[in-house]
């Protein structure tokens, strides 16, 4: 390997050791530690014969089916938005794109609850229409389909951002050539646009799939009432009844999740293999199709989607933050802003949580960007035989439920780090490292797919100009993968801001995150406080996105995902 | 910190408890971590695995978990002088854990519901078909104890649960979910711990809570000291304080039934002697817990 | 098929001040072969892109026969125009093999199976790329990519063929073959062809009509012979042929073709009162013979077939000439201008 | 600076059977100007890419003076070679403006402020793009993009300049200007230049040495005059100049330049026993005069300056000739071959 760095290979000598070190610390070490404990506890505690339990296999099946359907839903929703907003002459693109990002910000359990509320007997909407089902009517969302649907809503932004970055790299003349060849819009889409932006689409789909595999909030609320268990909810119930065999069981279940996500990754590799996506020559302009008479219809569909996936849950959230107690009908006489007063002025935890979450999310998003640009470059340019292994290792932590990853990090860091003797347990650093590990895949995917579409001669020209690796990175590579880099930063930020299950186990006094604060409030029955805090989080994110909007002119083209 | 507390009490309650303790013992720096029982146990066990448990005192919902830890040698025995004021059933004879309050499980219903239940048996009636929800023993310690308790009652037993299942009852999640489901009208009846609907009702939610006439099950939110503690003295003080008159008044003020005799019940509860608490044996319960969970899960078709 | 009419066509981009195409009116007769000549950046590609339907004119209209293809408000989408184009940037699809690239227009038209394979094979054979059918465009050389683009353009039976510098990256042999291919294709299909090139010899050799543009405006349209022999104005004169333009006193009468005696008279005259005229002198009309006027050799370039000389007349004006023998820079030679053209 | 040595250089790609570059040995003397000629796909770009350091040779080595730049095991990375290149595909950075593109090599070298601005301005002026400094490459025409690439290449003081068909998309006027720019740059900087082109006239006019490649192999290296006047072998003969190659009986003796009597004798001889030789006849050596041999006119192409005729000798062999006057296809003309070259 050392030789290859001399070999006119464009990567510097330190890149390979760097990538290996990163992967070692963010993935191999925690996973290995978890496996070690699992094996040890299986040996002494006499692991129950987990694998012979048909319930486990049912859970594997349900995990696969919900995740697959959820991925399909996310691809349809996110892919549809990305295509329509990037390639067609839709009006109000910026607004639509902006709003489409927001549902990722609403915690999955909130989304789930608001959907249940919307479709249930107390739905104000349905009541107004006279369609409200009778008290106790079966809830259609308590099903595989319901789980998948909400997975789709939750993860659509992942697909949207990833595909959008791919579409922006599309050379305009390739589309024009196809149209002139006589291809209808549909054929152009099928034969040219989708194949060429396939890396972005597949990356988005894969990350959505992996995200569904590891999701806990949605199946916990929608699955358990219908006796549908996915591997993460199963793991949670193992933790609830903590026994001697728990670590062994959890390791085994985690290994199954890891296998599922590797299966997903292998499918992705298969799809992308043996093809060429390197854009030849210049891209820098995106083709725009005219929708003509269809434009109205498309706009109506887009706005109704926004209404369903954003406005309705958000309204439910705001409503419950204004209600004095759960189930009290909301009206001008009952509405109260007491919850906001409480959150803003009395709860000390609010400020801590905001500070922590914003710091953690920003640090993770930008810190990971540095790591993933280097890793992505290595994976695409390196032609290393280790590349598939490294991609798989990067992927697994994100697929594991947060609680498992957190346990792995506690196992690693509860005792002071050997040699240095430093203890990071209980500090914010352990959460940061765990975030790096968990969101590595989210950050990596869009960047890797952008590198796949990169015309190598652009980098060559920079090398010949005398630019060393660092220089090229800053001046050429990063600006050219800017849409993907922007997607990566924004996705990680949004997800980390909301994150609950990793930090739930890792926080301690003073290091609460927003997710933890909201969960704790909610879990202890202060639903209106939890809702109020969630609303404030959404408001904060909107404010930050607006700030980004102001900066947009100074940023490379395409970074801000709702700008075209 | 001088003392680290791991608890599954609600946030505000944990804060109030710790604040009151600190007021009584100025100069002691107490840190507390609050999370659901599964999370707290996962965290604690991972720490024990890594050889460095951080917690000194544990204050969690059910005795069963503590009984298991006692048997694993993870707890420290301490004979608290305050124990004399507690019913003998409410603490471990060897001093490994002490109950701090009683949290009973009864029935809540939405005020729109047609039938007003008064007994457990009412939930199996046709009027309640498809309208009952309850927490799952897989997610809630209290729910497990509740199931084990009812299973041992003459005339109810596991058959009662089979009737409930046949009547379309669902079991899922924790008590919070039940509360929401009933308060929002998604379900009409719920099996739930007492303080939640009582608090919500006080805030104006359209719910009622009843103590069924057969009696209620109770968890006792016990506290225990970890064997690995480096702050045994402070921990002992904490246990003493929880059981002391002042400590118990705090619990009552928060809306719980205090464990200590002679303290008034919080408003909204009937008199103490009107609440019939059904008995349960912790070590028996522990021995059977896996079997019982499985029985319950089989009846309700829950996997795992 | 019908004639292609550009009617006062204009196009301005958001960036950049002067319009890229400015009030161009032009008719290409049915089955015509028009070469579009002009300096870099004059708007040739933009005209083609408007004809193909990729850019909307900001003013004017494009008609194919009676059918309005585009005006400032409305346009027929490219996929309904039945045209084919070789893009200056080739616009190959990197995810398809060479054969798939070439076969795509057929696929879209529903041609399938054997027939498609046969046609693709023929097209690849015509551009000498039979052996490369399975390659990806990224693994081809520049000229090979251009040839794939060519094959893709000629594989169907389009009504209008747009060629944007289609031979720029090919060597002379291939160019000649490809020119032959165009000629055959044109004769066989009867398609209207518009050919953008910077190579005048190519333009003259292929086209039935030549249009010369500069800075977005159309300067002159005519047959190759006419454009070459009778260029209108300084710009066209400078663009077509390698001629030098001399500024000499306006010759008497309205004679435009000047022979040696006439030129000699003008060169000799010292009348500064007469207004100056632009006189185009092409190098092949300049002969190095002892009985001419003296000129200093400024530079000598070997071009294989001959040497190209840059000469300075006594009054400093530059002239270009060919010579079969090398001449030394700085020498003085004597030249005769057999023919010149008043612009 | 020092001489650039290619030593038995070879390169095979994973795809495709025959090596793209096959055992090429070549020395470009210090400050030399080498033109690389050859048909499309013969390996020219690959040679440049190896010199620049983008491709590793599969065999052989590249030396700059004493320093080994690359062999099959090791190579100096491009950023340490101080070379500059115009890419066949331009490789402009779409996210930078024209001025930023051009200024980037300076920026990397730490040139900043006024000095950089001035140099960028000069470079842009040299390619006539002063007014386009603020544009994005995507908003330029093809030729303008090529000129940006040129300006970027010439803005620094590289040791070696690699030009891959740098003028392919420019019109004749600009080409002449740019050729002049190259010549000046070469004289001023003393850089070693390697120039890939398909245009022989350009190659001959610019270079001090010409190398001809075909199918990955080097066929001949020499001064332009030598390559033109004394091509070695059928391949070079066919590539350089527009000559036709006749197959005639081997002339007696080892004479290589044949005059009309000699050619006439060969044409007339019917001896099939003598082995055949390849005789190169260039069109400018074919004169249409009544006293020659008869030839049928196969095709006539107008090229502006003159007509290019394809003729068939009585035995069917093809010949090319120029004519200032149009000739009708199918006519029989009589030609004299003033000079020919035995390959
Ligand atoms: N990346 C690659 N993989 C495989 N084969 C390649 C690759 N690049 C070039 N080739 C092949 O190598 C041969 C030489 O290519 P090269 O680009 O050097 O040709 P060239 O002389 O520059 O041609 P042109 O004048 O058409 O640009 C060609 O046959 C080409 O198909
Ligand atoms: N997308 C664009 N935005 C702004 N200006 C443009 C755009 N495309 C082209 N131009 C400008 O319009 C003018 C005409 O461009 P066009 O591409 O038609 O030139 P061209 O005649 O094809 O030149 P070349 O021979 O160099 O290819 C140029 O000055 C160019 O800079
Ligand atoms: Mg152009
Ligand atoms: Mg090339």
């Amino acid at each position: 390997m050392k030789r290859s760095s001399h070999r006119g290979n464009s990567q510097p000598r330190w890149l390979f050791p760097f990538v290996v070190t990163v992967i070692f610390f963010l993935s191999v070490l925690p996973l290995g530690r978890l496996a070690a404990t699992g094996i040890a506890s299986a040996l002494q505690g006499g692991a129950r014969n987990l694998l012979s339990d048909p319930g486990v296999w049912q859970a594997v099946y349900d995990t696969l089916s919900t995740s697959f359907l959820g991925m399909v839903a996310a691809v349809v929703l996110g892919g549809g938005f990305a295509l329509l907003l990037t390639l067609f002459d839709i009006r109000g693109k910026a607004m639509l794109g902006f709003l489409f990002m927001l549902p990722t910000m609403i915690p999955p359990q909130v989304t789930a609850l608001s959907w249940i509320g919307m479709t249930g007997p107390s739905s104000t909407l349905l009541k107004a229409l006279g369609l409200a089902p009778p008290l106790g009517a079966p809830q259609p969302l308590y099903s595989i389909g319901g789980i998948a649907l909400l997975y789709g809503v939750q993860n659509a932004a992942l697909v949207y951002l990833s595909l959008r970055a791919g579409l922006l790299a599309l050379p305009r003349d390739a589309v024009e050539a196809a149209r002139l060849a006589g291809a209808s819009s549909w054929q152009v889409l099928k034969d040219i646009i989708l194949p060429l932006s396939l890396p972005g689409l597949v990356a988005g789909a894969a990350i959505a799939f992996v995200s569904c595999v590891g999701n806990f909030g949605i199946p916990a609320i929608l699955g358990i009432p219908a006796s549908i268990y996915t591997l993460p909810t199963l793991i949670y119930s193992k933790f609830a009844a903590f026994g001697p065999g728990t670590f062994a069981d959890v390791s085994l279940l985690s290994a199954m999740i890891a296998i599922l996500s590797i299966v997903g990754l292998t499918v992705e590799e298969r799809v992308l293999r043996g093809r060429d996506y390197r854009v030849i020559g210049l891209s820098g302009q995106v083709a725009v199709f005219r929708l003509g008479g269809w434009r109205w219809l498309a706009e109506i569909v887009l706005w109704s989607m926004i209404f369903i996936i954003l406005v309705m849950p958000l309204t439910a959230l705001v409503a419950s933050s204004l209600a004095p107690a759960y189930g009290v009908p909301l009206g001008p006489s009952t509405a109260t802003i007491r919850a906001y007063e409480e959150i803003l002025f009395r709860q000390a935890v609010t400020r801590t949580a905001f500070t922590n979450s914003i710091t953690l999310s920003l640090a993770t998003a930008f810190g990971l960007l540095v790591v993933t640009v280097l890793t992505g470059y290595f994976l695409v340019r390196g032609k290393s035989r280790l590349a598939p292994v490294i991609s798989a290792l990067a992927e697994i932590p994100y697929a594991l439920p947060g609680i498992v990853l957190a346990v792995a990090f506690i196992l690693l860091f509860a005792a002071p780090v050997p040699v240095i003797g430093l203890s990071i347990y209980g500090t914010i650093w352990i959460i940061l490292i765990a975030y790096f590990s968990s969101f590595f895949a989210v950050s990596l995917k869009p960047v890797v797919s952008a590198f796949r579409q990169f015309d190598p001669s652009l980098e060559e020209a920079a090398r010949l100009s005398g630019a060393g690796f660092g220089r090229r990175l800053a001046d050429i590579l990063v600006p050219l993968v800017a849409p993907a880099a922007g997607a990566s930063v924004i996705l990680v930020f949004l997800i980390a801001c909301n994150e609950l299950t990793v930090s739930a186990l890792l926080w301690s006094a003073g290091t609460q995150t927003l997710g933890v604060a909201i969960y704790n409030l909610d879990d202890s029955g202060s639903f209106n406080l939890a809702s109020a805090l969630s609303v404030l989080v959404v408001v904060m994110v909107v404010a930050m996105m607006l700030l980004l909007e102001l900066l947009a002119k100074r940023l490379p083209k395409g970074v801000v995902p709702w700008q075209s | 910190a001088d003392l680290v507390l791991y608890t599954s009490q609600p946030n505000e309650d944990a804060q109030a408890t710790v604040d009151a303790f600190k007021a009584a013992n100025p100069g002691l720096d107490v840190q507390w971590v609050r999370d659901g029982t599964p999370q707290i146990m996962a965290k604690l066990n991972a720490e024990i695995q890594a050889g460095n448990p951080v917690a000194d005192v544990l204050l969690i919902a059910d005795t069963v978990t503590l009984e298991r830890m006692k048997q694993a040698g993870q707890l420290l025995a301490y004979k608290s002088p305050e124990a004399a004021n507690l019913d003998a059933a409410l603490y471990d004879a060897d001093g490994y854990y002490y109950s701090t309050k009683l949290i009973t499980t009864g029935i809540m219903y939405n005020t729109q519901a047609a039938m007003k239940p008064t007994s457990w048996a009412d939930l199996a009636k046709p009027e309640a078909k498809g309208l009952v929800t309850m927490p799952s023993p897989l997610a809630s310690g209290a729910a497990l104890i509740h199931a084990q308790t009812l299973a041992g009652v003459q005339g109810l037993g596991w058959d009662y649960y089979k009737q409930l299942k046949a009547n379309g009852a669902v079991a899922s999640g924790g008590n919070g979910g039940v509360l929401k489901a009933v308060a929002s009208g998604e379900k009409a009846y719920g099996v739930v711990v007492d303080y939640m609907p009582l608090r919500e009702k006080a805030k104006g939610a359209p719910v009622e809570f009843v103590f069924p006439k057969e009696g209620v099950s109770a968890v006792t939110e016990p506290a225990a000291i970890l064997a690995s503690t480096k702050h045994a003295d402070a921990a002992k003080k904490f246990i003493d304080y929880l059981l002391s008159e002042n400590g118990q008044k705090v619990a009552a003020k928060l809306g719980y039934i205090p464990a200590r005799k002679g303290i008034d019940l919080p408003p909204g509860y009937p008199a103490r002697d009107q609440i019939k608490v059904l008995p349960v044996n912790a070590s028996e319960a522990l021995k059977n817990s896996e079997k019982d969970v499985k029985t319950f899960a089989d009846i309700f078709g829950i996997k795992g | 098929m019908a004639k292609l009419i550009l009617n006062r066509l204009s196009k301005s981009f958001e960036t950049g001040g002067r319009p890229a195409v400015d009030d161009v009116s032009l008719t290409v007769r049915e089955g015509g072969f028009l070469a579009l000549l002009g300096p870099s950046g004059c708007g040739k590609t933009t005209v083609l892109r408007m004809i193909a339907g990729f850019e909307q004119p900001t003013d004017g209209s494009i008609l194919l026969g009676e059918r309005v293809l585009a005006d400032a408000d409305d346009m027929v989408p490219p996929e309904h125009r039945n045209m084919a184009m070789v893009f200056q940037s080739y616009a190959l699809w990197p995810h398809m093999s060479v054969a798939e690239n070439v076969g795509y227009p057929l696929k879209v038209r529903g041609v399938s199976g054997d027939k498609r394979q046969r046609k693709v094979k023929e097209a690849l054979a015509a551009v000498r790329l039979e052996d490369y059918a399975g390659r990806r465009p990224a693994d081809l050389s520049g000229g090979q990519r251009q040839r794939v683009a060519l094959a893709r353009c000629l594989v169907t039976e389009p009504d209008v063929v747009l060629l944007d510098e289609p031979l720029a990256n090919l060597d002379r042999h291939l160019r000649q073959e490809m020119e032959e291919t165009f000629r055959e294709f044109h004769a066989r299909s009867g398609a209207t062809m518009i050919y953008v090139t910077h190579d005048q010899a190519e333009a003259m050799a292929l086209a039935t009509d030549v249009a010369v543009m500069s800075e977005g405006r159309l300067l002159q349209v005519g047959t190759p012979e006419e454009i070459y022999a009778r260029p209108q104005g300084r710009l066209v004169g400078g663009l077509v042929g390698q001629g030098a333009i001399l500024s000499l006193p306006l010759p008497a009468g309205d004679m435009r073709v000047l022979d040696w005696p006439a030129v000699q008279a003008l060169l000799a005259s010292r009348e500064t009162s007469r207004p100056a005229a632009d006189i185009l002198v092409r190098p092949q009309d300049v002969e190095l013979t002892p009985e001419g006027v003296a000129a200093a050799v400024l530079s000598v370039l070997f071009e294989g077939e001959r040497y190209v000389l840059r000469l300075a007349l006594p009054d400093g004006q530059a002239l270009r000439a060919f010579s079969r023998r090398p001449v030394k820079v700085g020498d003085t030679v004597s030249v005769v201008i057999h023919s010149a053209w008043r612009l």
Side-chain angles (χ1 to χ4, degrees), chain B residues 138-150:
Chain B
L138 290 155
S140 154
L144 175 58
I145 301 282
H146 178 71
Q148 290 182 312
T149 311
L150 289 203

Side-chain angles (χ1 to χ4, degrees), chain C residues 125-144:
Chain C
V127 296
R128 302 269 173 275
L129 283 179
E130 303 95 319
D131 298 344
Y132 295 81
R135 289 264 191 106
R136 303 267 155 201
D139 294 344
L140 295 180
S141 80
Q144 288 164 342

